[in-house]
Amino acid sequence: MAKIKKGDLVQVISGRKQDKGGDRGKQGKVLEVLVEQNRVVVEGVNYVSRHTRVGQTQRGTKTGGIETVEAPIHISNVALVDPSTKKPTRVGHRVEEQVKDGVKRTVRVRYAKKSGKDL
């Protein structure tokens, strides 16, 4: 089971410092998880300039040019943020039994290890 999922709030924990033009310390929402490459795309982090060919749409407007987009960052360089403390934390799983409509189910639940609170 993945520790980081789409929609989670994460913080960059490695790289150049934020004041020196880097992204370390920035927080953002996960837009996409690339499982095969062990990478995540985080909102507002790791911007790169992408040059796309200039074209025309059906209505005649120009498309393309230089766009800034978020590039993937390795999953080991980000940490999940604990919603209560707003600080990066490690994540664990535990198995719990839930009763829903009279049916017992075993469910894996994520929790923050340092503070011990559920996510």
Side-chain angles (χ1 to χ4, degrees):
M1 185 174 230
K3 293 182 190 277
I4 296 177
K5 298 178 181 180
K6 180 179 175 181
D8 285 342
L9 184 67
V10 295
Q11 181 171 338
V12 180
I13 56 171
S14 67
R16 292 188 75 177
K17 283 190 180 175
Q18 199 170 356
D19 56 338
K20 294 186 178 177
D23 290 327
R24 183 171 52 173
K26 285 187 182 176
Q27 291 185 357
K29 203 166 75 169
V30 175
L31 300 175
E32 186 179 3
V33 179
L34 307 169
V35 179
E36 293 82 28
Q37 295 136 5
N38 286 330
R39 292 181 175 270
V40 290
V41 178
V42 182
E43 184 179 37
V45 174
N46 199 20
Y47 275 115
V48 293
S49 296
R50 181 164 290 157
H51 297 257
T52 57
R53 181 175 286 165
V54 176
Q56 275 189 329
T57 62
Q58 293 280 342
R59 295 183 175 164
T61 58
K62 299 266 185 190
T63 60
I66 300 172
E67 303 169 346
T68 54
V69 293
E70 291 105 348
I73 186 170
H74 200 269
I75 206 161
S76 65
N77 296 332
V78 296
L80 201 66
V81 173
D82 190 359
S84 59
T85 61
K86 300 289 186 220
K87 291 186 177 179
T89 183
R90 291 181 177 218
V91 179
H93 291 89
R94 67 171 162 247
V95 179
E96 291 182 355
E97 287 201 3
Q98 291 182 346
V99 179
K100 187 174 181 183
D101 299 331
V103 180
K104 273 189 183 178
R105 295 185 67 200
T106 56
V107 183
R108 289 180 63 160
V109 179
R110 289 192 304 174
Y111 69 96
K113 282 188 176 179
K114 288 182 182 172
S115 62
K117 298 194 176 177
D118 288 332
L119 292 175

